[in-house]
Amino acid sequence: MLYLRLEDHKITIADYTRPASVDAGAEGVLTLVEHVMTPTLSLRQNLQEARRQHPLFQQVKDVEVIVNGPVTLVPVSEYDDSVEDVLFKSCFRVASEVPYRVLADVIPQLRTMLLFGVRQSVSDGIGVEFQGGNIHYTSATSLLLRQFAQHNADAQRCRVYVNCRDRYIDVAAFIERQLVACCPYEVSCASDAVYYVLALSKALGFVPSETLYITVGNNATVQEITAMLRRFAPSVRRHTLGDDFGTRPITQHPAVPFDLGLMLLA
């Protein structure tokens, strides 16, 4: 199985062969490459260049695409797949101006459907580049929310998760087991991130001294964001893949993004 994780400026390509044994100690084989996209080239041209450089990825195979981008949430009880496109495009101006392919993930723990979009040019490029293989899309946000919703909510009534990735943070707020907010923010530094997290907390009526803040991610800013949050709130916890899945090799890999790790370890 080949995994593509898409961001505006970078593609993470992973080839993962799952373990043949179901034994708890068995491990698969992971090969991971980060490809910084050349802005003057299309996504397909960037994919071609990345695959040319790494022969392992030249084989046609099934592809799982993880999309980082705008999302909107709809309760399952209100969901109507016939209006997915209209609903998504009414929430995001760019989707009304640029052709988008609108998709949906289910988050059963929250009884919620998550709508997300892929630029049609991106979807077409991936389809041409990997023709002959089965291609499936998943939102990175749905991977995060499914995992966060499984965490024990009894110890802290209000929880705010901060997923730190390159140039962005994803913030999800819970009251016990209920998701009350889910927002991405573009950030240029740790102070930006902390400002947005605390501003959202205030808007939700969360009291920092009574709220648990949980940071995830393995990029360069997560430690700085965690330390800065601790200046304003007494309960700030750094959470890693190892906390959920133990000391498996994927959890120790320095370049595996949190959402990709969740998919590989599921």
Side-chain angles (χ1 to χ4, degrees):
M1 173 70 78
L2 190 69
Y3 297 86
L4 296 181
R5 181 179 183 270
L6 303 181
E7 293 187 274
D8 292 340
H9 65 296
K10 179 176 67 176
I11 308 169
T12 301
I13 308 174
D15 183 274
Y16 184 55
T17 303
R18 295 187 178 275
S21 171
V22 296
D23 294 342
E27 288 296 336
V29 177
L30 173 67
T31 304
L32 184 143
V33 173
E34 289 187 346
H35 178 77
V36 178
M37 290 198 282
T38 303
T40 55
L41 300 180
S42 68
L43 174 78
R44 187 185 174 199
Q45 289 172 317
N46 275 287
L47 278 175
Q48 289 174 334
E49 179 63 18
R51 296 179 79 197
R52 184 188 65 78
Q53 294 175 13
H54 306 284
L56 176 64
F57 303 134
Q58 294 172 10
Q59 307 167 39
V60 175
K61 56 182 71 178
D62 294 343
V63 182
E64 185 72 48
V65 183
I66 301 174
V67 181
N68 282 279
V71 303
T72 191
L73 300 172
V74 182
V76 168
S77 59
E78 304 296 325
Y79 176 67
D80 180 352
D81 60 2
S82 67
V83 297
E84 281 180 357
D85 197 70
V86 173
L87 180 58
F88 183 82
K89 291 178 179 178
S90 69
C91 293
F92 303 104
R93 186 180 66 181
V94 66
S96 300
E97 300 171 348
V98 179
Y100 263 74
R101 179 183 176 189
V102 179
L103 302 150
D105 284 343
V106 64
I107 307 175
Q109 301 92 333
L110 301 174
R111 298 183 296 279
T112 296
M113 297 297 296
L114 181 145
L115 304 184
F116 66 104
V118 182
R119 289 179 185 265
Q120 192 63 53
S121 60
V122 170
S123 176
D124 291 345
I126 291 173
V128 171
E129 187 63 22
F130 294 101
Q131 55 185 316
N134 295 315
I135 302 170
H136 181 261
Y137 290 84
T138 299
S139 167
T141 304
S142 67
L143 295 169
L144 297 171
L145 292 180
R146 287 172 193 154
Q147 192 66 24
F148 297 160
Q150 294 180 40
H151 289 173
N152 183 3
D154 299 332
Q156 196 84 26
R157 181 171 179 268
C158 297
R159 307 186 319 283
V160 177
Y161 292 87
V162 185
N163 178 48
C164 306
R165 53 189 175 95
D166 292 350
R167 305 183 187 180
Y168 289 87
I169 58 170
D170 305 293
V171 185
F174 287 78
I175 298 178
E176 296 180 349
R177 298 193 180 279
Q178 180 183 4
L179 177 69
V180 294
C182 179
C183 307
Y185 297 98
E186 186 172 4
V187 299
S188 59
C189 59
S191 58
D192 279 356
V194 172
Y195 170 81
Y196 288 129
V197 170
L198 295 178
L200 180 63
S201 297
K202 183 177 180 180
L204 294 172
F206 287 13
V207 178
S209 61
E210 300 172 0
T211 301
L212 174 60
Y213 294 90
I214 303 168
T215 60
V216 303
N218 64 350
N219 66 0
T221 62
V222 65
Q223 298 289 2
E224 188 178 357
I225 291 170
T226 303
M228 191 172 292
L229 265 176
R230 286 178 174 147
R231 300 180 194 173
F232 303 95
S235 298
V236 179
R237 181 185 304 164
R238 174 85 170 86
H239 190 86
T240 69
L241 287 169
D243 294 321
D244 288 327
F245 298 99
T247 56
R248 296 170 61 178
I250 287 177
T251 69
Q252 310 301 309
H253 197 300
V256 174
F258 193 82
D259 49 63
L260 175 60
L262 292 175
M263 174 163 280
L264 297 179
L265 293 163

